[in-house]
């Protein structure tokens, strides 16, 4: 009886009579708003992770690793022996260009590069978020509704796991279809500009630069560079979606059950925003080490390393070089970004669906 009541509450947000295009439009609008609002935190998170990966600092300041015999290894990523990594160069220059935390990144980007650089990669974020979420959310709805109908009739004990499976499938489809733009976005955000007034490369130029530096190989091999790090991306997004949707569905159903009335626009926004904020934050915190590995794979400019490194090897390298702190580089910015982002996307998507449903009824 209680299961039936819970199920009826989960169905109370209207899904019927909505075409895939309408769902995609709702999700695309939600993604647009979210990408613009949270992009600065995405830039901050990527800068912190790139710094931990050994991306060179401006001027004479760079990250160097010393082996047990105090011999300098030319950069962090080529160090194969255990030792100590520290900033080398002028102390004043290094202090000015080394990030010490989330707020420090904000302050230094604004002071050194200009306020607008906090929205670096927004065009890539929009080019990525709109089609990705436009695929992701409608596909999640479709798979969840289909699988819930099947499990409710055939095997009710499996119904609680439906959001987990639906989230994994939908996110994998969206991730694979739009991955090169994700690669461009990460690279655009990771590398700082040296001058305020110089226009930095856009999405297309960034992707061309990924391919063109590769010499002496066939075009097919060159274009494979556009998918370097896809395994790391899936390794992050699949568990993120599984955790996020499992928490989100349970939380919003509990909220609707507590409210105990037919959902209206206000309650739909409130329940979905709250559930999305909690679910996004928890999922982002748990999967942060995988996000660090994804960033390191995507900003790798050495062709041989980019093509041969695996996610497992990358995570072992991160642990060796930075330990637990390295595994959670940029965690504060990532959690601060993911919570509001999921909350905005899910609440906007559901309330637009609600409005479209009422429009069809009228």
């Amino acid at each position: 009886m209680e299961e039936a009541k819970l199920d009826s509450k989960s169905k109370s947000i209207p899904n019927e009579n909505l075409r895939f295009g309408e769902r995609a439009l709702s999700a695309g609008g939600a993604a647009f708003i979210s990408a613009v609002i949270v992009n600065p935190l995405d830039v901050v998170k990527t800068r912190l992770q790139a710094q931990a990966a050994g991306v060179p600092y401006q001027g004479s300041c760079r990250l160097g690793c010393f082996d047990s015999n105090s011999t300098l290894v030319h950069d962090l990523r080529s160090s194969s022996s255990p030792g100590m990594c520290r900033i080398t160069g002028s102390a004043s220059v290094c202090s000015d260009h080394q990030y010490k935390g989330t707020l420090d990144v904000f302050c230094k980007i604004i002071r050194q590069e200009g306020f607008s650089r906090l929205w670096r990669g927004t065009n890539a974020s929009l080019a990525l978020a709109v089609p990705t979420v436009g695929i992701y959310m409608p596909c999640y709805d479709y798979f969840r509704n289909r699988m819930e109908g099947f499990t409710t009739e055939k095997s009710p004990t499996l119904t609680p796991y439906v959001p987990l499976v639906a989230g994994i499938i939908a996110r994998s489809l969206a991730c694979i279809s739009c991955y090169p733009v994700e690669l461009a976005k990460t690279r655009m955000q990771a590398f700082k500009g040296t001058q305020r007034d110089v226009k930095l490369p856009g999405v297309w130029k960034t992707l061309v630069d990924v391919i063109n530096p590769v010499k002496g190989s066939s075009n097919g091999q060159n274009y494979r560079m556009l998918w370097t790090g896809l395994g790391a991306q899936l390794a992050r997004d699949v568990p993120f979606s599984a955790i996020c949707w499992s928490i989100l569905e349970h939380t919003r159903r509990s909220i609707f059950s507590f409210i105990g009335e037919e959902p209206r626009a206000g309650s739909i926004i409130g329940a979905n925003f709250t559930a999305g904020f909690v679910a996004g934050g928890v999922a982002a915190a748990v999967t942060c080490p995988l996000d660090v590995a994804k960033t390191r794979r995507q900003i790798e400019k050495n062709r041989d390393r980019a093509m041969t490194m695996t996610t497992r090897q990358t995570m072992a390298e991160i642990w060796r070089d930075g330990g637990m702190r390295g595994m959670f580089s940029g965690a504060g910015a990532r959690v601060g970004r993911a919570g509001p982002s999921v909350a905005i996307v899910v609440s906007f998507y559901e309330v637009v669906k609600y409005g479209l449903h009422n429009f069809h009824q009228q």
Side-chain angles (χ1 to χ4, degrees), residues 7 17 24 66 79 84 103 106 115 118 120 141 270 341 362:
D7 187 62
N17 302 325
F66 298 80
S79 176
M84 178 180 63
L103 291 178
F106 273 113
F115 186 76
L118 288 172
R120 171 77 173 143
D141 266 356
S341 178
Q362 294 172 5

Side-chain angles (χ1 to χ4, degrees), residues 33-341:
I33 295 171
S34 174
V36 172
I37 292 174
V38 303
N39 195 79
L41 283 166
D42 205 21
V43 172
V44 170
K45 182 257 312 181
T46 304
R47 289 286 181 93
L48 287 169
Q49 293 177 351
Q51 175 178 269
V55 169
Y57 294 93
Q58 211 170 354
S60 60
C61 182
R62 65 190 182 89
L63 187 64
C65 292
F66 298 80
D67 63 18
S68 56
N69 297 318
S70 298
T71 303
L72 176 66
V73 182
H74 71 276
D75 69 17
L76 174 67
R77 289 167 296 178
S78 66
S79 176
S80 58
S81 59
M84 178 180 63
C85 293
R86 65 171 183 263
I87 303 300
T88 62
S90 167
S92 60
V93 174
C94 292
S95 176
D96 199 37
H97 292 283
Q98 182 186 7
Y99 300 132
K100 299 178 178 65
T102 301
L103 291 178
D104 190 52
V105 181
F106 273 113
C107 294
K108 286 180 177 174
I109 289 177
I110 293 171
R111 187 176 73 248
Q112 297 167 4
E113 303 174 56
F115 186 76
S116 63
R117 290 292 166 85
L118 288 172
W119 276 266
R120 171 77 173 143
T122 301
N123 54 345
S125 295
L126 294 175
L128 173 72
V130 173
T132 299
V133 179
I135 295 169
Y136 179 35
M137 297 295 288
C139 284
Y140 171 76
D141 266 356
Y142 175 80
F143 290 125
R144 183 198 61 193
N145 293 340
R146 289 281 184 174
M147 287 190 285
E148 275 188 347
F150 177 81
T151 56
T152 301
E153 182 180 345
K154 303 291 186 181
S155 182
T157 56
L158 296 177
T159 302
Y161 302 102
V162 165
L164 184 149
V165 178
I168 288 174
I169 297 172
R171 187 63 188 179
S172 298
L173 290 173
C175 176
I176 293 170
S177 61
C178 302
Y179 181 75
V181 183
E182 169 72 27
L183 176 67
K185 185 197 77 168
T186 302
R187 289 198 170 211
M188 290 169 69
Q189 292 176 341
F191 302 106
K192 65 171 68 175
T194 56
Q195 300 178 19
R196 282 174 175 257
D197 299 328
V198 175
K199 186 177 180 181
L200 297 175
V203 179
W204 180 254
K205 180 66 165 58
T206 302
L207 290 176
V208 169
D209 287 343
V210 171
I211 300 171
N212 279 351
V214 180
K215 304 295 182 182
S217 58
S218 66
N219 288 336
Q221 289 177 318
N222 287 5
Y223 281 101
R224 281 181 59 198
M225 291 291 292
L226 294 176
W227 272 267
T228 54
L230 176 59
Q233 176 87 5
L234 288 171
R236 181 201 70 173
D237 283 2
V238 167
F240 178 91
S241 293
I243 295 168
C244 183
W245 284 112
S246 298
I247 296 174
L248 193 150
E249 289 286 1
H250 175 76
T251 304
R252 72 176 171 188
R253 288 178 183 182
S254 298
I255 293 173
F256 282 126
S257 179
F258 177 78
I259 293 173
E261 62 181 31
E262 189 68 21
R264 302 177 185 275
S267 61
I268 289 173
I269 292 175
N272 282 282
F273 192 92
T274 303
F277 195 95
V278 173
V282 172
V286 173
T287 58
C288 188
L290 295 165
D291 185 60
V292 176
K294 181 216 62 139
T295 300
R296 188 169 291 200
R297 290 288 308 279
Q298 290 177 335
I299 64 176
E300 177 59 63
K301 289 191 172 183
N302 182 291
R303 175 183 178 270
D304 293 332
R305 281 179 56 85
M307 299 297 289
T308 59
M309 282 290 287
T310 65
T311 302
R312 183 178 178 181
Q313 290 172 325
T314 304
M315 293 190 71
E317 184 181 84
I318 294 167
W319 177 262
R320 184 197 70 207
D321 295 330
M324 188 63 70
R325 185 173 182 178
M327 298 290 276
F328 286 88
S329 297
R334 173 166 164 76
V335 172
R337 173 197 177 279
S341 178

